[in-house]
Amino acid sequence: MNLPDELAAKYNLLKETILKLGKVGIAFSGGVDSTLLLKAAIEAIGHENVKAYHVTSELQYSDQEHITGELAEELGVSTDN
């Protein structure tokens, strides 16, 4: 990822923080924020130490679960609903 220095420093700090956790579960909506966090976690601790969680409700689009599942799969992590 080619980021300006300030953003790169913040992204690296995020990955360092995640690295200290060892394993993480990410609340994953498929939006920009949770996708960035999921990607940072994968880079910091590896696919095998990251799990994405998506909760369905009446407030979401009917196809959102399918979309988040596909995106998580593309990133190489398992999901739970």
Side-chain angles (χ1 to χ4, degrees):
M1 207 178 317
N2 190 14
L3 299 172
D5 290 344
E6 184 179 344
L7 286 178
K10 289 179 180 181
Y11 189 69
N12 287 332
L13 180 59
L14 174 62
K15 291 192 304 184
E16 289 171 15
T17 301
I18 294 169
L19 182 61
K20 293 175 187 174
L21 299 173
K23 286 188 169 191
V24 295
I26 306 289
F28 185 57
S29 68
V32 174
D33 297 334
S34 62
T35 301
L36 175 69
L37 184 57
L38 188 60
K39 176 99 170 106
I42 292 165
E43 289 179 8
I45 58 178
H47 299 94
E48 65 280 358
N49 295 310
V50 179
K51 190 156 195 171
Y53 292 89
H54 177 76
V55 177
T56 58
S57 76
E58 295 175 1
L59 300 175
Q60 297 167 326
Y61 298 112
S62 60
D63 62 345
Q64 190 67 31
E65 183 177 347
H66 178 71
I67 293 167
T68 56
E70 284 183 356
L71 185 53
E73 186 177 316
E74 284 179 34
L75 293 170
V77 297
S78 61
T79 60
D80 259 348
N81 295 341

